[in-house]
Amino acid sequence: MSTWSRFNIVSIIVGFAFLYLPIVLLVIFSFNESKLVTVWAGFSTRWYVQLFQNQALLDAAWVTIRVALISATVATVLGTFAALAMTRYTRFRGRMLFSGMIYAPLVMPEVITGLSMLLLFVAIGFDRGFWTLTLAHITFTMCFVAVVVQSRLLSFDRSIEEAAMDLGATPVSTFLQVTLPVIAPAVFSGWVLALTLSLDDLVISSFTSGPGATTLPMKIYSQVRLGVTPEINAICTILIGIVAVGVLIASVVSRRREAQRVADERAAFAQ
Amino acid sequence: MKSLGSIRRSFAPWTDPTSKPFISFKNVTKKFGDFVAVDDLSLNIYTREFFALLGASGCGKSTLLRMLAGFEQPTSGEIILDGQSLAGIPPYKRPVNMMFQSYALFPHMSVETNIAFGLKQDGMPKPQIAERVDQMLKLVKLEKFAKRKPHQLSGGQRQRVALARSLAKRPKVLLLDEPLGALDKKLREETQFELMDLQQELGLTFVIVTHDQEEAMTMADRIALMAHGKVIQVSTPAEIYEAPNSRFVADFIGDVNIFDGTVSSSEDGKLQIETESGFPIRVAATDAPAVGAKAGFAVRPEKIKVSREEPVSFGTNAMRGEIWDIGYLGDMTVFHVRLPDGKVVKASSLNAVRAVEDPLGYEQEVWISFAEDAGVVLKD
Amino acid sequence: MSRIGSAIFNRLVIIIPYAWLLFFFLIPFVIVLRISLSTTAVAMPPYTPVFDLAEGISGIIAGVKEFSFDNYIWLTEDALYAKAYMSSVIIAFISTILTLLIAYPIAYGMARAPSGIRPTLLMLVILPFWTSFLIRVYAWIAILKPEGLLNQFLMSIGVISEPLIILNTNWAIYIGIVYSYLPFMVLPLYSALEKMDHSLTEAALDLGCTPISAFWRVTFPLSIPGVVAGCLLVFIPAVGEFVIPDLLGGSETLMIGKTLWNEFNANRDWPVSAAVATILLLILVVPIMFFQHAQTKADGEGR
């Protein structure tokens, strides 16, 4: 590939440095002995120790995880249904409105989504707390799931569904035995995306949660407003570490699977 | 194999007015919005027939097959299978199975689970399923590959899995949608004969959709040539090649030379046509057009002889021209001979001997000739 | 095309997500609109409802008569709001252009990279997106502070003698938006550039274009769908951004997301914040519909 010029390489390196340097610095300074985030004063893990003694923080983390697991799961079911509706039924009444409601939340400023949901819960007299938070998260993450699954369905070879029906499977059993297993990887990535978005969300959560349902981002935010401390760096480092390990595992697994597939194909053509 | 050949020769239920068709399309029309995919089409297919739907893409042949499988509903008209109307019967309740162009193998299932899929849907007991799957694997010679996934197979092996899967339920009719399209030429030719043997062995009715005329000619008992949603001609391969019913068919199947002109005399089934090239030709015609009418005479290249001397035998048409192009194809040579008015006639001759003394060369003056019954008269 | 099958299953697949989104996404907007037309009250909830549903149709008619545009009048009278809307749009616009300028060379370099390393590069672009938005914004505070890492670095190599004041200015907001939204710009650009046939550029060069004119006359025009998608993905959320101006911007930085947040949480004026949200939505409705249109078209092509 002679077309990969020096200019291309430099722009990628500079771009990636821009993307990663802030995160790297943040991680480094979480191990700083000093209370100042910007002056290096030696290696220490004392902020991590302090972190695990902070009960409020641990509670918030637990709330966040529960909300994320429930909302990602429900959002995956709803989002997969929505993706099926969008790709399979090209004509039904109100389809324009439907696709609008799928795409709009992807770009809608969070303050608007958050405020409007809060006002809904107030209007129907639903006390704000864990469940309102979960409902709100389901609503905005299901649209992301729908988009991920939809893009898989668009490249889906419909003839394998026809083959299943031709061989005697009813539409429902075709869906369960053929469609779902084939799109499962996309559904799973949708679930992971929904989980991450939910774990991450600050603005919508702040509007829709109530007493006793403080999430980790809300907790971090209120501390950040008071100033930058190594303790926050430590929380952030742990969160980044979890994500990094998760992504690493996922990529190793998928690379190994890909290598297996390539080897299989070679073997198949060799005979 | 000898006996199969003789069965084939005598197999012609469509000529027997008392035999009942197994599949009937009755005035079937299918529209997609404004587009008419199948246009008021009627067609009969008989038990144990190997029937080919041939045509260019978009002629409606696949739509016809998909209506038989139940994936599309006719806009009007009806389809009858074994005396029963198929209207309103969903694909999963029809006694037909289909082999898909893309093979449509379930990517997450092994070869044997793919083959067993249809049997499982019918609730067949497990030991019987296992037995049938073994039988099918043997039939398509894939016993060693039972545990493999589709992506671990070569193209030809996938094709055979698809075939085994569609045959596992012992359907009354097997539908094949461009079954050999994804295979390379050599494998395709081998598989054609395998499919024919299989069809004879199992005694099934096969309906195949193809755009490849050689494939249709090789395999089918009868071919329906389709265009614009209509059937243009239904005949045996020999009839459709030697006696095309229209200019379209003559042109579509194989190579053809058409001499256009005006009928100048017609008597006793013999016709004289004054061709536009200036040479009168005498030809045999069963259903002769009137004197003065426009007519064309269609002759296949291999029926035309190229020679240096003027042919003398009685009843032969001869024209003088010049060799314009020579194409050497190995088994035969194709000559393009230019007539004085500029019309180019294709003639082919078999290369029966390895080396010809003094072969014909470019720009050589030659005679082309053909017998009076070497082609058919086209009235349109 | 085939419509055969159990109708109930088909219906449910549409009805369940449809009903969910109607109830939790669309109806809330109707409520926002309704509250923006009511008057402030010192109570909980702190507004007087316009409609009393218990009174049925007559209640609604009576309610419509009581529509109050006071909140909107209030928004036009106080120049603060107009300024906030204006500066939000301007900041979002400048940030979008900056993001495009930075993302294009990256996406172009990735699309031209040897195909073996492309998946890795793609993963590296997506990876920061998986880490918390809040964390990524937070990381910049320590860098941009007057005594922060950037100034320490620049002063140590002698480029500057006085620390630059970046944090709490619009520049910090631009950096924050560019940084946070960069993957959203790179991905659509990359997918547009990657599927482009490289022989097109070669054909242009063969026909006498210089590399630069081949870029402007062939490559760039073909990547416009990606440019449009990327710009919309950055611009629309950036207009209503709250976290970035709040953490990186200064006290004099006006952005409407922050204004709305303050109006709601600090002033507890729900009707006014609902009116602020309604107008923000009106500003964004055209780009959002444009985005939806582009998405639907892209899906149609993928089919």
Side-chain angles (χ1 to χ4, degrees):
Chain A
M1 264 271 181
S2 58
T3 51
W4 212 35
S5 68
R6 193 168 300 160
F7 171 74
N8 293 150
I9 297 172
V10 169
S11 51
I12 285 185
I13 291 172
V14 172
F16 283 178
F18 176 63
L19 276 178
Y20 283 94
L21 215 51
I23 297 174
V24 171
L25 291 173
L26 180 137
V27 172
I28 292 173
F29 279 90
S30 74
F31 295 103
N32 194 1
E33 173 68 35
S34 158
K35 211 173 159 46
L36 288 171
V37 176
T38 50
V39 182
W40 185 254
F43 182 85
S44 157
T45 51
R46 68 177 180 128
W47 305 110
Y48 289 88
V49 177
Q50 198 168 314
L51 208 62
F52 284 99
Q53 289 155 359
N54 187 339
Q55 191 55 43
L57 211 60
L58 296 177
D59 288 346
W62 179 230
V63 169
T64 314
I65 291 168
R66 278 188 303 157
V67 169
L69 285 175
I70 298 172
S71 63
T73 307
V74 178
T76 302
V77 175
L78 290 172
T80 304
F81 276 20
L84 283 167
M86 294 277 291
T87 45
R88 296 301 162 84
Y89 310 103
T90 44
R91 257 164 273 210
F92 59 86
R93 230 191 289 173
R95 191 179 186 280
M96 273 303 286
L97 177 65
F98 188 61
S99 78
M101 290 192 299
I102 297 285
Y103 289 123
L106 304 183
V107 287
M108 187 67 75
E110 290 183 299
V111 281
I112 298 184
T113 315
L115 177 73
S116 64
M117 292 236 227
L118 160 69
L119 294 178
L120 170 79
F121 294 133
V122 172
I124 59 174
F126 199 153
D127 282 342
R128 281 182 286 158
F130 182 84
W131 288 108
T132 51
L133 194 59
T134 309
L135 287 171
H137 281 207
I138 292 170
T139 307
F140 87 93
T141 56
M142 71 174 272
C143 301
F144 287 86
V145 177
V147 171
V148 170
V149 176
Q150 188 191 7
S151 73
R152 175 68 189 89
L153 283 172
L154 286 174
S155 64
F156 185 89
D157 178 10
R158 293 293 300 270
S159 68
I160 70 167
E161 287 178 343
E162 290 182 342
M165 279 200 248
D166 184 63
L167 294 167
T170 60
V172 174
S173 69
T174 298
F175 178 76
L176 294 176
Q177 293 185 67
V178 174
T179 317
L180 203 54
V182 173
I183 64 169
V187 173
F188 179 71
S189 353
W191 182 81
V192 174
L193 180 62
L195 190 78
T196 319
L197 289 167
S198 169
L199 288 173
D200 203 25
D201 180 72
L202 166 68
V203 177
I204 293 175
S205 305
S206 303
F207 276 103
T208 53
S209 86
T214 305
T215 66
L216 199 55
M218 288 161 71
K219 201 83 196 162
I220 296 174
Y221 171 72
S222 62
Q223 289 200 20
V224 169
R225 300 216 56 179
L226 301 176
V228 179
T229 67
E231 199 180 350
I232 302 172
N233 282 29
I235 311 173
C236 295
T237 303
I238 291 174
L239 292 177
I240 292 168
I242 292 170
V243 169
V245 168
V247 170
L248 208 67
I249 292 172
S251 77
V252 166
V253 167
S254 81
R255 198 161 290 191
R256 194 167 289 174
R257 206 178 286 164
E258 175 68 15
Q260 181 65 44
R261 200 179 60 80
V262 171
D264 285 348
E265 260 163 28
R266 274 209 199 115
F269 284 101
Q271 348 137 14
Chain B
M1 281 303 139
K2 222 179 213 172
S3 63
L4 286 186
S6 59
I7 292 170
R8 278 215 148 207
R9 226 165 292 139
S10 61
F11 177 75
W14 50 91
T15 54
D16 176 3
T18 60
S19 71
K20 260 186 73 183
F22 189 55
I23 303 166
S24 276
F25 290 90
K26 291 188 170 164
N27 305 96
V28 172
T29 297
K30 175 69 188 177
K31 291 181 188 170
F32 295 109
D34 286 339
F35 176 71
V36 183
V38 173
D39 190 0
D40 193 26
L41 181 145
S42 296
L43 190 65
N44 288 329
I45 298 170
Y46 295 85
T47 316
R48 302 168 78 102
E49 192 175 356
F50 200 132
F51 194 90
L53 294 165
L54 176 66
S57 65
C59 71
K61 57 190 195 300
S62 288
T63 309
L64 205 61
L65 200 72
R66 291 171 60 79
M67 283 196 283
L68 197 49
F71 301 129
E72 309 288 354
Q73 297 296 314
T75 312
S76 65
E78 101 178 305
I79 304 170
I80 293 173
L81 175 71
D82 202 8
Q84 199 194 356
S85 168
L86 288 178
I89 300 181
Y92 46 92
K93 289 190 181 144
R94 294 188 180 199
V96 299
N97 283 129
M98 177 144 156
M99 194 184 141
F100 290 80
Q101 185 173 10
S102 63
Y103 308 146
L105 298 178
F106 307 126
H108 57 298
M109 295 181 192
S110 68
V111 167
E112 53 181 10
T113 350
N114 260 287
I115 296 173
F117 187 89
L119 305 170
K120 248 178 235 163
Q121 305 309 314
D122 286 357
M124 189 187 258
K126 269 196 181 145
Q128 264 170 277
I129 292 182
E131 194 183 319
R132 180 78 65 86
V133 168
D134 283 345
Q135 208 180 327
M136 297 321 293
L137 284 169
K138 215 166 161 189
L139 187 73
V140 296
K141 304 185 193 78
L142 284 174
E143 297 99 319
K144 279 189 247 159
F145 301 92
K147 305 284 181 209
R148 295 242 184 137
K149 291 275 183 71
H151 72 263
Q152 296 167 306
L153 299 174
S154 68
Q157 292 165 341
R158 283 181 212 180
Q159 191 261 357
R160 300 222 291 279
V161 177
L163 184 65
R165 187 180 69 180
S166 54
L167 286 172
K169 288 181 78 172
R170 306 223 167 113
K172 290 181 180 170
V173 183
L174 182 68
L175 310 176
L176 304 104
D177 187 2
E178 303 270 7
L180 311 177
L183 303 181
D184 60 49
K185 193 168 186 290
K186 204 155 181 200
L187 196 54
R188 192 159 64 220
E189 279 164 10
E190 278 170 31
T191 316
Q192 284 172 3
F193 289 101
E194 277 176 24
L195 273 179
M196 287 160 69
D197 291 347
L198 205 66
Q199 190 247 353
Q200 289 291 325
E201 211 174 301
L202 301 172
L204 292 178
T205 308
F206 275 28
V207 181
I208 183 173
V209 156
T210 179
H211 68 276
D212 180 341
Q213 42 171 305
E214 264 179 54
E215 192 171 297
M217 305 272 279
T218 310
M219 295 196 284
D221 292 314
R222 281 192 305 157
I223 296 171
L225 182 64
M226 290 184 65
H228 309 298
K230 287 181 183 294
V231 168
I232 311 293
Q233 184 170 4
V234 188
S235 297
T236 61
E239 274 170 6
I240 214 164
Y241 186 75
E242 301 295 356
N245 68 359
S246 61
R247 198 172 284 260
F248 175 82
V249 177
D251 204 35
F252 190 92
I253 307 269
D255 252 339
V256 74
N257 297 294
I258 298 176
F259 296 97
D260 284 306
T262 316
V263 179
S264 60
S265 77
S266 168
E267 54 189 58
D268 303 338
K270 296 279 157 93
L271 216 58
Q272 174 126 347
I273 301 174
E274 305 300 325
T275 66
E276 286 160 5
S277 305
F279 297 94
I281 51 176
R282 276 176 62 81
V283 297
T286 43
D287 180 21
V291 172
K294 292 265 175 205
F297 188 68
V299 200
R300 302 286 180 194
E302 73 276 9
K303 309 279 192 305
I304 298 182
K305 213 175 148 231
V306 183
S307 56
R308 285 205 178 79
E309 285 84 38
E310 184 172 2
V312 285
S313 72
F314 178 74
T316 302
N317 297 291
M319 298 177 187
R320 212 171 151 66
E322 177 191 7
I323 293 189
W324 197 248
D325 251 325
I326 304 173
Y328 177 73
L329 303 181
D331 54 347
M332 60 170 164
T333 301
V334 178
F335 297 99
H336 285 194
V337 178
R338 195 166 177 267
L339 301 183
D341 70 324
K343 182 180 170 71
V344 174
V345 177
K346 282 183 247 173
S348 59
S349 69
L350 216 54
N351 295 326
V353 289
R354 284 181 63 205
V356 184
E357 277 179 52
D358 186 19
L360 293 167
Y362 284 89
E363 291 174 24
Q364 210 157 45
E365 292 274 313
V366 288
W367 288 89
I368 56 166
S369 57
F370 50 88
E372 34 182 55
D373 58 353
V376 289
V377 174
L378 304 171
K379 286 194 283 186
D380 52 349
Chain C
M1 284 282 181
S2 72
R3 298 254 179 98
I4 309 103
S6 83
I8 303 165
F9 179 71
N10 291 352
R11 294 264 162 74
L12 284 180
V13 161
I14 300 175
I15 288 171
I16 294 175
Y18 207 136
W20 185 285
L21 286 171
L22 275 181
F23 188 75
F24 287 105
F25 188 72
L26 198 64
I27 291 182
F29 285 119
V30 178
I31 296 174
V32 169
L33 191 66
R34 191 194 76 176
I35 291 173
S36 74
L37 296 168
S38 61
T39 48
T40 315
V42 186
M44 188 64 210
Y47 62 92
T48 56
V50 170
F51 301 124
D52 191 345
L53 293 180
E55 288 172 34
I57 297 291
S58 60
I60 290 174
I61 294 167
V64 169
K65 284 183 190 149
E66 280 172 36
F67 269 176
S68 149
F69 289 92
D70 290 356
N71 301 311
Y72 291 94
I73 294 165
W74 163 253
L75 290 188
T76 56
E77 280 172 351
D78 193 335
L80 173 93
Y81 295 102
K83 267 192 201 154
Y85 282 119
M86 275 304 288
S87 82
S88 296
V89 171
I90 291 169
I91 289 174
F93 182 78
I94 294 173
S95 313
T96 306
I97 299 295
L98 290 173
T99 315
L100 179 63
L101 290 178
I102 293 171
Y104 206 104
I106 299 176
Y108 190 77
M110 284 169 60
R112 286 276 172 277
S115 58
I117 66 166
R118 271 184 230 164
T120 313
L121 294 175
L122 196 62
M123 204 190 76
L124 284 173
V125 169
I126 299 170
L127 194 59
F129 173 78
W130 295 98
T131 64
S132 169
F133 185 73
L134 187 59
I135 293 176
R136 281 177 288 148
V137 176
Y138 165 77
W140 280 97
I141 300 179
I143 297 172
L144 299 177
K145 282 206 301 196
E147 70 280 15
L149 299 167
L150 181 67
N151 280 319
Q152 284 180 29
F153 174 71
L154 292 177
M155 280 157 77
S156 72
I157 61 168
V159 177
I160 51 169
S161 51
E162 287 287 299
L164 295 172
I165 304 299
I166 302 175
L167 193 65
N168 302 336
T169 67
N170 281 359
W171 278 105
I173 298 180
Y174 297 147
I175 293 173
I177 293 178
V178 170
Y179 182 70
S180 307
Y181 288 92
L182 195 62
F184 292 104
M185 186 69 91
V186 172
L187 292 180
L189 285 176
Y190 170 75
S191 77
L193 288 167
E194 197 252 341
K195 69 183 172 207
M196 194 182 300
D197 186 354
H198 186 57
S199 59
L200 291 177
T201 320
E202 288 173 347
L205 294 174
D206 182 57
L207 295 169
C209 277
T210 63
I212 290 170
S213 69
F215 174 81
W216 284 112
R217 296 172 72 169
V218 178
T219 311
F220 186 74
L222 285 169
S223 69
I224 282 178
V227 173
V228 170
C231 287
L232 290 171
L233 277 172
V234 175
F235 177 78
I236 302 168
V239 173
E241 187 51 58
F242 161 74
V243 178
I244 295 171
D246 189 58
L247 294 182
L248 301 179
S251 51
E252 77 281 14
T253 309
L254 279 174
M255 276 192 81
I256 202 67
K258 203 176 143 191
T259 312
L260 191 154
W261 178 283
N262 289 336
E263 205 61 63
F264 187 83
N265 285 313
N267 300 350
R268 298 195 61 74
D269 193 337
W270 291 20
V272 168
S273 35
V276 170
T278 307
I279 291 186
L280 177 55
L281 197 60
L282 283 178
I283 292 173
L284 293 180
V285 83
V286 172
I288 287 175
M289 286 176 76
F290 201 52
F291 172 73
Q292 186 207 339
H293 178 74
Q295 285 295 310
T296 319
K297 215 174 94 184
D299 292 347
E301 279 162 11
R303 208 169 284 255

